[in-house]
């Protein structure tokens, strides 16, 4: 059965194929969430939330691109997480800090932040630079490949970590566009449909984001 048949069966009440969908796309969603948040722990929770939301609304699924649909859910889940985290960080400011902000015309006081079937999988993937994202070295991102040598693996793990940290410093829209374009080989038009943006806007986000990313990595002596 292909994924369209899986969806049809699920909508008819046969939920066993949900495991097949999770098995096929979990790693992709997890890596996307890692690069979006810079946190493997958060990415694990957000990947699970992505599939839980998919289950919740699977009866109304009418799309042709299941991977794109799941990435759209993951993108919204990550946006919610990042927005909530930003609000919670602001809430940790001391009362005196908030009063000082209020005196300057800022907000008055603090702000309030607005089935375990997937947890049974055997661990989580390494995440990081795999697949098509490695080929982004052609555009300025470092190419990092799998290697059996322990020392080489340690170097590559450090490279993935530094790349993730650099990506996390980009504006959200630029980071999303870069990930969708390089990590998932999506065309600009496809990304535009997912992010509700024009092709020219997507191109601009990718170009500007790559310029910033290369600048960050050069400052870290990550690129020659």
């Amino acid at each position: 059965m292909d994924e369209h048949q899986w969806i049809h069966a699920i909508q008819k009440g046969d939920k066993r194929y949900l495991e097949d969908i999770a098995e096929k796309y979990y790693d992709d969603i997890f890596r996307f969430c890692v690069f979006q948040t810079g946190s493997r722990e958060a990415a694990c929770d957000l990947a699970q939330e992505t599939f839980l939301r998919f289950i919740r609304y699977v009866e109304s699924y009418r799309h042709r691109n299941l991977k794109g649909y799941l990435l759209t859910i993951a993108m919204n889940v990550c946006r919610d997480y990042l927005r909530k985290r930003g609000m919670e960080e602001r809430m940790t400011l001391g009362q005196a800090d908030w009063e000082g902000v209020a005196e300057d015309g800022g907000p008055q006081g603090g702000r309030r932040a607005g089935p375990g079937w997937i947890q049974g999988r055997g661990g989580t993937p390494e995440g990081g630079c795999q697949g098509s994202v490695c080929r982004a070295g052609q555009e300025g991102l470092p190419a990092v490949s799998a290697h059996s040598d322990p020392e080489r693996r340690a170097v590559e793990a450090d490279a993935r970590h530094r790349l993730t940290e650099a990506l996390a410093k980009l504006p959200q829209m630029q980071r999303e566009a870069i990930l969708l374009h390089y990590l998932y080989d999506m065309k600009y038009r496809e990304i535009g449909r997912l992010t509700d943006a024009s092709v020219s806007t997507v191109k601009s986000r990718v170009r500007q984001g790559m310029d910033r990313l290369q600048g960050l990595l050069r400052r870290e002596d990550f690129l020659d």
Side-chain angles (χ1 to χ4, degrees), residues 180-181 184-193 199 202:
L180 293 173
H181 186 58
Y184 298 104
D185 289 326
M186 285 192 175
K187 306 295 185 183
Y188 294 128
R189 192 176 302 278
E190 294 176 295
I191 299 172
R193 284 197 294 266
V199 171
V202 173

Side-chain angles (χ1 to χ4, degrees), residues 6 70 156:
W6 290 346
L70 290 170
E156 292 178 348

